[in-house]
Amino acid sequence: MPKAHALFPQGLHFNWFSQLDSTNGEALSGCWPEATVIASDCQKAGRGRLGRTWLSPPGQNLYFSLVLYPRLSRAHWGGLSLAAGVGAARCLDQLGVAVNLKWPNDLLWQGRKLAGILLEARDDKLVVGMGLNVNQARFPAQLPATSLSLATGKSWRRDYLLALLAGEIFRFCSLWGQGQQQEIITYWKEYDIILGQEISVLRGRETLRGKAVNLSPGGGLILESQGVRHLLNSGEVSIGKCME
Ligand code: BTN
């Protein structure tokens, strides 16, 4: 695996830890400059969306966070989650893994979760955290999850994957910041799995049901429910009218 403070191509600074509570936590609390990648072999308290835990056993998967200081107004930071998803999806696609994207930031393979992205912000810093199941062979029965090795029947080197993925995520987040939102949304639609479908969106305690009709220019989801269009900036999507 990469050594701490090795500088890879693409202008990213990679820092590899054998164990952290959470790479997002370290990236948020430490004094790290733009384009730093914090990766860890395992996490003791990996964080998922909506306050969930991200199971992070050692020696198998990728857990990493990219530090950004976006020169965008805060209201536009949410779209960087789509940019990160597009960067990751295109990278895996180029490696021969046909993934889908589920708004706002899940990567799926044949309907099972392959990776998740969690954005967290503090002051002017934004951390893009990604957990990718790489070589894990088994998952708890209740989790509809998969890994690259289950999807492809081979084991994967995590160091190359980390360099490639972090590079593409950084590139697409930079493009988003440079005004290429529309192009990125067009790319997203090549991988999207929910547009045109009846979905349920969990937002706090509320569930909205309707049809996913489009993405807004800022990366929000436009949901049509009983003839009314709602613009959603966050939420947990399930395909179908009932929550899974
Ligand atoms: C999700 O719930 O789908 C998002 C999961 C994000 C997990 C990653 S693992 C690396 C980074 N550090 C964390 O604590 N969480 C993210």
Side-chain angles (χ1 to χ4, degrees):
M1 297 303 293
K3 293 224 161 44
H5 299 291
L7 180 61
F8 275 57
Q10 308 141 343
L12 295 178
H13 302 265
F14 286 83
N15 298 272
W16 180 259
F17 293 84
S18 53
Q19 181 178 308
L20 285 175
D21 283 346
S22 155
T23 60
N24 269 25
E26 175 59 39
L28 276 177
S29 62
C31 201
W32 300 103
E34 165 95 359
T36 298
V37 177
I38 309 284
S40 184
D41 184 49
C42 70
Q43 299 181 114
K44 291 293 164 201
R47 313 209 277 244
R49 294 180 63 232
L50 307 174
R52 295 182 185 133
T53 298
W54 187 261
L55 294 176
S56 310
Q60 303 176 46
N61 301 320
L62 276 178
Y63 319 107
F64 67 93
S65 303
L66 170 65
V67 176
L68 301 173
Y69 293 86
R71 287 173 286 280
L72 286 170
S73 74
R74 194 82 178 229
H76 294 112
W77 285 17
L80 288 164
S81 148
L82 270 74
V86 166
R90 285 172 58 91
C91 179
L92 292 172
D93 200 4
Q94 281 159 15
L95 294 169
V97 187
V99 295
N100 292 111
L101 288 166
K102 183 165 77 103
W103 186 91
N105 46 24
D106 283 348
L107 279 90
L108 307 181
W109 183 81
Q110 296 195 352
R112 301 183 84 80
K113 187 148 167 170
L114 185 63
I117 294 173
L118 176 66
L119 267 61
E120 293 186 276
R122 183 175 294 173
D123 302 326
D124 58 345
K125 186 197 288 182
L126 178 73
V127 167
V128 180
M130 180 170 186
L132 170 67
N133 301 325
V134 181
N135 293 319
Q136 190 166 340
R138 273 179 287 278
F139 293 91
Q142 72 276 15
L143 284 186
T146 191
S147 64
L148 285 181
S149 64
L150 289 172
T152 62
K154 62 177 186 180
S155 68
W156 290 70
R157 280 191 62 153
R158 290 181 294 159
D159 51 358
Y160 289 145
L161 268 176
L162 173 63
L164 292 172
L165 277 166
E168 284 302 276
I169 291 172
F170 182 58
R171 192 162 78 85
F172 277 87
C173 287
S174 303
L175 290 173
W176 184 273
Q178 291 160 14
Q180 303 231 6
Q181 289 98 334
Q182 196 48 57
E183 290 81 351
I184 290 173
I185 286 173
T186 302
Y187 283 136
W188 176 283
K189 289 178 179 174
E190 289 176 20
Y191 297 98
D192 175 87
I193 204 169
I194 65 166
L195 292 179
Q197 303 242 46
E198 293 294 330
I199 61 168
S200 303
V201 187
L202 179 64
R203 301 167 78 213
R205 292 187 176 171
E206 184 195 21
T207 300
L208 264 177
R209 295 184 178 81
K211 187 172 178 180
V213 290
N214 207 348
L215 296 177
S216 74
L221 176 65
I222 300 171
L223 179 85
E224 190 171 279
S225 177
Q226 299 175 328
V228 178
R229 290 196 167 193
H230 302 263
L231 174 61
L232 309 182
N233 292 312
S234 63
E236 175 83 350
V237 170
S238 299
I239 298 171
K241 288 188 177 170
C242 303
M243 297 301 295
E244 284 157 13

